[in-house]
Structures are given as C-alpha cells and as structure tokens.
Amino acid sequence: MTIIVERRTLLAGAGAAAAALPFARAIAGTVPTMPSPRRITPIDDGWRFHLGHAADPAQDFGFGASHDTYAKSGDAGTPVATPKFDDSGWATVRLPHDWANALPYERFGPPGSEADKTGSYQGFKPVGRRFPANSVGWYRRRLDIPATEAGRRLRLEFDGATRDVMVILNGFFVGRSESGYAPFSVDITDFAVPGGDNILVVRCDVSLGEAWSYEGAGLYRHVRLVSSAPTHIRQWGVAVRSEVGAGRATIRIATELVNDGPAATVTLRSAVIGPDGRRLAEVVEQQVALPAWGGRTVDQVATVADPQLWSPETPHIHRLESAVIRDGMAVDADTTRFGIRTFRFDAKAGFFVNGKPVKIKGTCNHQDHAGVGFAVPDSLHRWRIEQLKAMGSNAYRSTHHPAPPAVLDACDELGILVLDETRQMSSNPEAMGQLERMIRRDRNRACVFLWSIGNEEVHRATATGAAIARTMKRRIYELDGTRPITEAFNGHFGEGASPVLDVMGFNYYLDGIDPFHAAHPDVPTIGTETASTVMTRGVYARDDKAQLVPAYDTDFPRWASTAARWWTLYDARPWLSGGFVWTGFDYKGEPTPYESWPSNASNFGQMDSCGFPKDNYYYYKAWWGAEPVLHLFPHWDWAGREGQPVDVWVHSNGEAVELFLNGRSLGTKTVERGRHLAWSVPYAPGRIEARSRHANGKRLVAVRETTGAPAAIRLSSDRRRLRPGEVAVIRAAIVDGKGREVPTAAKLIKFALTGPGRILGVGNGDPRSLEADEAEQRSTFNGLAMALVEAGPGGGALRLEAQASGLRSAMLPILTD
Ligand code: GAL
C-alpha cells in the first residue's frame, strides 16, 4: 500500500486552499511529544456509595457552611461535598455500578392494580417516586489531580448515568445531566485544585424514569478524567468522511480546534493508520492561526490507495491519529476509529454496503443482562454481540437510546451494522443537546448505518412531529450528513413526520407495509421493530396461572407477529431493507403478556436474560445464517403424558427432514423457505430423532432423549482465558447419570470462586424469578443457571466450583492473563 503524504499551509484567514509549503519531516513525523499530550485517567475505581439521602434523611441540601436555608456557588449546601465529610461508612464500589440491581424485588401494589403493572414494567426493582428512599444515590471520591495539571484544561467525561445527575466538585455545582443514556462531560478546569484535595460528588436521582422497562440506577457506565493542553481538539471534534473511488478512497477530515488561551499558531497533523497498523496517509496543515479564547475547524483531505473496506464480512477498522503541534511540540493528540465503506438505501432494491445488497437481519436490544442489570462490563457487551452474530444477525438497534460505547466497539470489530437512536424526540435544547452528543460521539463509527430520531412517538403523525423531525434532521445533516435518518413508526405510516424521513421505519403493523410502498414507491423502507413473539425458554405450553408462555413460534401481542410471519414477508420483498426483531435478549421489565407480580422480565428475547438460546433462536439461525441448521424440540421428558400427542417442531434450512421415534420413522417432510416443520407425536419415552438433508449434501442429526434423575452439575464457558476486567459467562447445567442435560431440573446451585476474580452475579432466565442477582447461588430454571465471573488484576488461575445438594459437584478452571 502506498503512503500518500499531502500537506498544506493554512495561513491566518487564508482559507483551506492556501499554498503548500515544502514538507518538513521534523514537523510531520518525528516531532517531540509532551510525555502524554492528552492524559486520560479512567475513574471507575475508588468510589464510595451511599443509597438514599446522604447526610440527613429529611434534607441533603440546605445546611451549608455559613447558612442553613440556601446554597451558594462554592458551597453546595451539603457537607458531603466538603473534605472533612467522613464517608468511611459508605460502600466501596467500582464502575459500572447499578444500585437498583442489588435491591430485593418488591411488590408495588395489589394484584391487578396500576401500581402492580408499573412494578412489572420496572422489573419490580423498588426505585422511582413510589420508593423515595431508594431513588437517590450519592457517589463520592477523592480526585487525584497532580500539581503538574496546573494551566491545563480538565474535564470529566461520563459515558452515561441514570438519570437526573448532579456533579459537584470541591463544593461547586459543575454540571448536570437529565438523561440516563446520553453521554455528557463537565469542564472542571476552574474548580479543580491541582496538587490539592479535590472532592468529587455525584448525586443520581432516579425518581423519574424515561422508559417502560427497567432502567438501572447510578453510574452504570465509565467515567474518566481528561486533561489536555489549552490548545486542543474538541471532544468528539473530529469528523472523518470517506468516499470510495476506483482503487482509492478520499478521506475528508474536519477537525475542530479549541484554543482556551491567548492567540496561538499551530500545526495539525492527521495520519490515517490502516487495519494492520501501517501508516497509509498523512496530511499536515501548517500555520493554523487560532484566535484567543476561540477556535476554528480545519478541513483536510487524505487519500488512501487500495483501501481495505469495512463490511459485515470484513470489519476492517482504520484509525485517524490527530496531533496538534505548537512550537515544534505535540501538545494534544486524539485517535478516531473509522471505516472506509459505502452505504446506500434504494427504494426498490433495499440496502447496499460497498455496492453489494445486504438484507438487514437485526435485533433490537436493551442494555441489561442477568446478574448485573445495567452495570454490564464491556466484555459482556461484546459477548452479547458475539451471541447475536452466531445467530446469523448482522445488525443491532439500541432501543431506545444511544448505544453503549462498548457495544459500538464490538459492532465495529465484529461487522454488525448499528441503528443508533436518540432517547428524546424533541427539538427543545435538552433533546437537541442529547442528539448532538450522540451524533458527534458516533458519527465516525464504521458500524453505524442509520440514525433514528424517535420510537413510537405520540406526535409522529402530527404537524408538530414533522416540525420537530425537520429541526432534528437539519442538525444531524450539519454534524454528519453521511447517513440517512429514520423514525420508528407504529402505524400511521406516511403521516405526520413520515415525509421528513429518508428511510421509513416500520414497527410491526405488517398489513400497512405494502400499502405504504404502493403509495410511496420512491421511499426506502426498513422494519425498525418486528416480531415481539413471546416465549419462555424451555416451556412448551401456555400457563397463564404460572405466567409462562410456550417457546414455539406461536404467541404474540396484538400489534406483533410470529417470527415466520414477519420474516417471510420481509424476505419476499427486496425493496424492504430488512428488519429488527424485538428482541435479541430478554431484559428486565415489560413482562408481556403477564404485567403482574412476580413476572419481572420480558419474554421477547431469542435468548433469555442470561443469553441461553430459546428455540426461535434457531429459526433465525436457519434463515439468517450461512450454516446448515437442524434444531429439534421440545425435550423428551413428558412422564405422565404417555400416549398423549406432543407437538414436535423442527427449525431447519435443509431440503427435507425425517423424524424417528425410538427408531421408527414418522415420515419425511419437505422444508419450505422461512417455515418450521411440525409433527404431532404420541409420547413414548425414549429417543426422538430428526435427520436433515441439505442442498450441499450435508446431513445433520438432532436427538432428544428421555433423561434420568439429576446426578451432577456441568459447567462450561466459551471464555476460558480472561484479561483483567474481562468476564466469562458460565453455563451451569444439570445432567443425569449418562451426562445428558435434564431439561426440567430445578436445583439450587452454590457457586464459589477461588483466585484473583469475583462473581459479579447470577441468573437463570426465569422471567418470574425473585432470587437475588448479585449473589453466589441460583436455582436452575429448566435445567440451567448462569454465573458471571470477572478476572481481577494480576493474572493467575481462577477456579469456579458449583455444588447442589445430592448432585456431583463441578469445577471449571479459568486462566487469567
Ligand atoms: C414496541 C416498543 C418497544 C416494546 C415493544 C414490545 O411498541 O417500541 O419498546 O415495548 O413494543 O412489543
């Protein structure tokens, strides 16, 4: 690959096309660098946490140093913000942290009441206005700001915190955030005392929520301290746009420089680094004149020859390394990950990546996981994306909020397209601020292919909705302009804000899709949300009393459909770009169809809340994935139902499948694209077996056997070697004497970890379970339980042991680096 070096000089006021100066290697390649021009310090550790009011149960504010009825700038009116406050009685926590997850489940009201329904939507975690004592949490820590930071700009970056968040440094209110999902940052330069005792306090109030499902509580994403020179690149101030041409890509770079000080002249060096770490191109802008306490945007163009394009199959990530050079010294540096690729929507032919048609096979997802709630470690986010990819999915919609950075990292690297969505569809300053932060943060992401400005908004079909959409769209185009926008409409397709959208987003209402296309044949379309099939893992009959739904592809709420109905409809229409299933994983809250105690988790996932596949996972794997699939269900443990018919289903992408019961053929059936096969089989214990024949000659066999009594525990994990901070998802199964998993077993498993790590939490995927998540024991649900093991620092061997009364125990070794 050729290295292409381009350089220009931007003289004061001369504009972007100023004359070129001879290239100076000393400036472009080997300038001395300050030891670390930009210092980024993660502050996930070292927090003290207090649930509830921090100092006085009646009032946390209003007893400042000099008065007791009001606060003043510099005297936040709470002793918690003063250095002498004693927080030694507070809990020690590490981020990500979700205090709601640790609270015991609690009833909100009598069965059938509105409060009961609300509680089920919140996953029966007692936070919110009904539980004021649990709805405020205080975080406090000393911030180590060395004396060498004097004269530099300092800011705190929060990736996200729920929900009404106040940041106090050294007694000063320094910032506030009103959304649990948008990232925010706070400039603390004026308030920090380099070399002094700096006390940081963050107060999170979750009395009000933003969603109709569980939302966690507190500092559930990362926080960091960023120190930069007065002359620096603005946070998310780099926009990289690539255009792919014949044999080369043109990289257009816009860099927003900020100068918090007297007028300065700097050089901006931008280098494109290829996926293999090689420097592919470099552009140098010399003599950039920055006004005092001002800034300017520098436009640069680089060229990359024979670019390695990003696509779902080839997720090549490039980096742009930006350096601000002043007086021959690099004073600030920033790294921006991006991808070189083209996306295109076509109203008649669907969606294209690099000119190739790609059908969107997506899932919608919330961001909680069993065991940890909202406090999902980065490596668990990645594990979740890996499971979705293994299902054959190539796209992710973060509902209904901007995706966590770790999800975007994983999607960039694993080739998963992302529909990124803002939380609040409005053009008021708060909502526009949230939107702007999402666009700036994510606009360089290789994986993000579409922006969503809203979901099922009440004003979607009105003139007000259209006006708001226009304002949001204008801003998105200013900040990005390389991706179209959509909005998720549930019905009313074509009305209100619809004409403003570049891509019409359909949530459900399959019958409205063809009429929309007939009336608007020139508008690209996508299924922003589909399916909502309800299924409980391992359950094969609806039982409303027990609050269980069958895992066959049969049950769904009024607005929704089966997997087979929506996917066959979308699959048959090339003009539909594809769609997003509601949901990839079960999540806490919204336990449709049982909106009542004790149901506290959804039934919508293709996987349960632990990530254990339900049967419909294999429907999608068969029709989305590339591999031959044969999945036979239900299990074959129906003691007491001898002679009675059992509905036996097969999900397979083969040509034909033959079914056998205890060696006797029950007939061969031909597979129809996008459909399952079904037999009604009178139950007889023993062995039921399916054999499939595939187009490539491959043959598969799937077997279910009647199992014996539970005899032992079996532990497994696809991650057996962890780096510090990484998480392994441990699957614990109950097996019989012959090592066969017992699909109905309910046993309490006690986990114990030895070595440098900890058990973060446990789960079992039962949507009604009221057992503690942050615990070291869990009952199995339909034979399975899960534990999350996190490696601590320092390396060494971990051993997870699992015991259950009357069963042979199990041990799983995990190595750490
Ligand atoms: C949609 C909504 C989702 C979820 C889903 C359940 O209407 O956008 O957030 O509630 O229904 O089917």
Side-chain angles (χ1 to χ4, degrees), residues 14 16-17 70 120 139 204 288 335 342 362 425 431 499 520 565 596 626 669 755:
Y70 59 92
S120 78
Y139 294 84
C204 300
V288 182
T335 299
T342 63
M425 194 208 169
H520 308 276
R565 164 108 209 278
S596 184
K669 295 195 184 213

Side-chain angles (χ1 to χ4, degrees), residues 220-306:
Y220 76 93
R221 288 187 188 165
H222 299 296
V223 181
R224 65 191 76 82
L225 172 66
V226 178
S227 147
S228 47
T231 308
H232 59 270
I233 297 165
R234 179 190 169 148
Q235 185 188 18
W236 309 314
V238 180
V240 185
R241 301 173 171 97
S242 53
E243 291 160 19
V244 181
R248 54 173 26 210
T250 305
I251 315 293
R252 297 189 190 283
I253 306 154
T255 308
E256 289 174 72
L257 297 175
V258 177
N259 183 35
D260 288 330
T265 300
V266 298
T267 293
L268 174 66
R269 187 187 71 207
S270 304
V272 177
I273 312 297
D276 54 5
R278 280 194 299 147
R279 219 176 175 81
L280 303 182
E282 187 167 271
V283 271
V284 179
E285 206 73 58
Q286 301 186 54
Q287 303 279 320
V288 182
L290 301 173
W293 297 98
R296 73 186 303 162
T297 301
V298 177
D299 293 311
Q300 296 173 302
V301 180
T303 310
V304 171
D306 303 325

Side-chain angles (χ1 to χ4, degrees), residues 367-614:
Q367 53 174 355
D368 57 286
H369 195 88
V372 287
F374 257 36
V376 175
D378 293 353
S379 73
L380 180 55
H381 275 309
R382 189 182 170 100
W383 184 86
R384 288 163 56 92
I385 303 294
E386 287 166 358
Q387 309 316 301
L388 294 168
K389 192 176 162 80
M391 186 174 82
S393 174
N394 62 10
Y396 184 100
R397 174 176 173 223
S398 61
T399 44
H400 301 289
H401 53 76
V407 164
L408 294 168
D409 286 345
C411 290
D412 266 351
E413 290 160 18
L414 297 170
I416 301 289
L417 295 153
V418 173
L419 169 49
D420 211 0
E421 180 160 291
T422 195
R423 178 73 214 97
Q424 203 185 114
M425 194 208 169
S426 181
S427 49
N428 68 37
E430 169 60 28
M432 291 301 281
Q434 292 177 22
L435 177 71
E436 170 155 350
R437 280 173 270 149
M438 175 181 85
I439 305 292
R440 281 182 169 280
R441 190 196 66 175
D442 299 343
R443 64 186 164 180
N444 300 310
R445 290 283 184 179
C447 60
V448 174
F449 75 111
L450 187 60
W451 302 115
S452 165
I453 60 170
N455 177 70
E456 303 193 349
E457 307 296 338
V458 286
H459 49 272
R460 66 192 180 288
T462 67
T464 308
I468 291 171
R470 274 194 296 274
T471 302
M472 296 176 85
K473 179 175 176 173
R474 229 175 9 249
R475 191 67 185 126
I476 295 174
Y477 274 37
E478 279 163 11
L479 292 167
D480 177 31
T482 70
R483 301 170 181 87
I485 66 155
T486 191
E487 183 185 336
F489 264 60
N490 52 331
H492 297 281
F493 305 148
E495 296 174 35
S498 305
V500 183
L501 309 176
D502 301 312
V503 178
M504 185 64 211
F506 304 122
N507 277 17
Y508 311 99
Y509 299 98
L510 299 175
D511 294 342
I513 294 178
D514 282 342
F516 176 87
H517 181 62
H520 308 276
D522 298 325
V523 178
T525 51
I526 193 163
T528 32
E529 200 174 309
T530 62
S532 271
T533 319
V534 286
M535 306 155 290
T536 313
R537 176 181 57 76
V539 170
Y540 297 100
R542 184 158 176 147
D543 184 343
D544 289 338
K545 195 147 175 275
Q547 303 188 342
L548 293 171
V549 272
Y552 297 110
D553 187 29
T554 48
D555 288 35
F556 51 87
R558 169 181 52 80
W559 55 90
S561 74
T562 59
R565 164 108 209 278
W566 88 265
W567 179 246
T568 48
L569 186 144
Y570 274 66
D571 187 32
R573 287 160 180 73
W575 46 270
L576 267 171
S577 307
F580 291 87
V581 180
W582 189 266
T583 48
F585 293 86
D586 279 345
Y587 49 93
K588 233 186 236 317
E590 206 179 19
T592 310
Y594 306 111
E595 293 157 351
S596 184
W597 179 267
S599 278
N600 59 70
S602 92
N603 288 294
F604 293 121
Q606 311 320 304
M607 284 171 273
D608 69 14
S609 57
C610 301
F612 299 139
K614 302 180 193 172

Side-chain angles (χ1 to χ4, degrees), residues 51-295:
L51 176 60
H53 294 280
D56 181 321
Q59 52 178 22
D60 279 319
F61 294 101
F63 44 104
S66 52
H67 40 78
D68 63 5
T69 54
Y70 59 92
K72 288 194 76 172
S73 178
D75 175 4
T78 171
V80 180
T82 63
K84 58 179 187 297
F85 182 81
D86 178 13
D87 65 10
S88 57
W90 290 19
T92 301
V93 298
R94 189 198 297 171
L95 312 187
H97 177 245
D98 169 4
W99 84 69
N101 188 54
L103 296 173
Y105 294 94
E106 203 170 316
R107 276 196 124 115
F108 280 39
S113 65
E114 201 50 38
D116 187 39
K117 187 170 171 182
T118 305
S120 78
Y121 271 61
Q122 275 185 220
F124 288 115
K125 287 293 181 172
V127 294
R129 63 185 174 81
R130 288 183 173 82
F131 303 92
N134 291 342
S135 297
V136 173
W138 293 78
Y139 294 84
R140 187 176 188 275
R141 109 199 262 290
R142 288 196 146 65
L143 208 53
D144 182 24
I145 303 178
T148 47
E149 295 294 359
R152 290 170 64 83
R153 303 302 301 186
L154 298 171
R155 77 170 176 261
L156 291 169
E157 293 182 358
F158 293 79
D159 285 344
T162 51
R163 188 208 54 94
D164 194 344
V165 182
M166 242 179 222
V167 185
I168 304 169
L169 183 74
N170 297 335
F172 289 87
F173 289 105
V174 289
R176 182 143 199 180
S177 162
E178 289 182 24
S179 168
Y181 303 98
F184 65 99
S185 58
V186 177
D187 188 325
I188 57 166
T189 310
D190 291 347
F191 311 99
V193 182
D197 205 7
N198 291 281
I199 303 295
L200 174 63
V201 171
V202 182
R203 178 185 188 270
C204 300
D205 183 339
V206 296
S207 305
L208 296 175
E210 291 178 276
W212 44 101
S213 54
Y214 176 77
E215 294 196 274
L219 297 180
Y220 76 93
R221 288 187 188 165
H222 299 296
V223 181
R224 65 191 76 82
L225 172 66
V226 178
S227 147
S228 47
T231 308
H232 59 270
I233 297 165
R234 179 190 169 148
Q235 185 188 18
W236 309 314
V238 180
V240 185
R241 301 173 171 97
S242 53
E243 291 160 19
V244 181
R248 54 173 26 210
T250 305
I251 315 293
R252 297 189 190 283
I253 306 154
T255 308
E256 289 174 72
L257 297 175
V258 177
N259 183 35
D260 288 330
T265 300
V266 298
T267 293
L268 174 66
R269 187 187 71 207
S270 304
V272 177
I273 312 297
D276 54 5
R278 280 194 299 147
R279 219 176 175 81
L280 303 182
E282 187 167 271
V283 271
V284 179
E285 206 73 58
Q286 301 186 54
Q287 303 279 320
V288 182
L290 301 173
W293 297 98

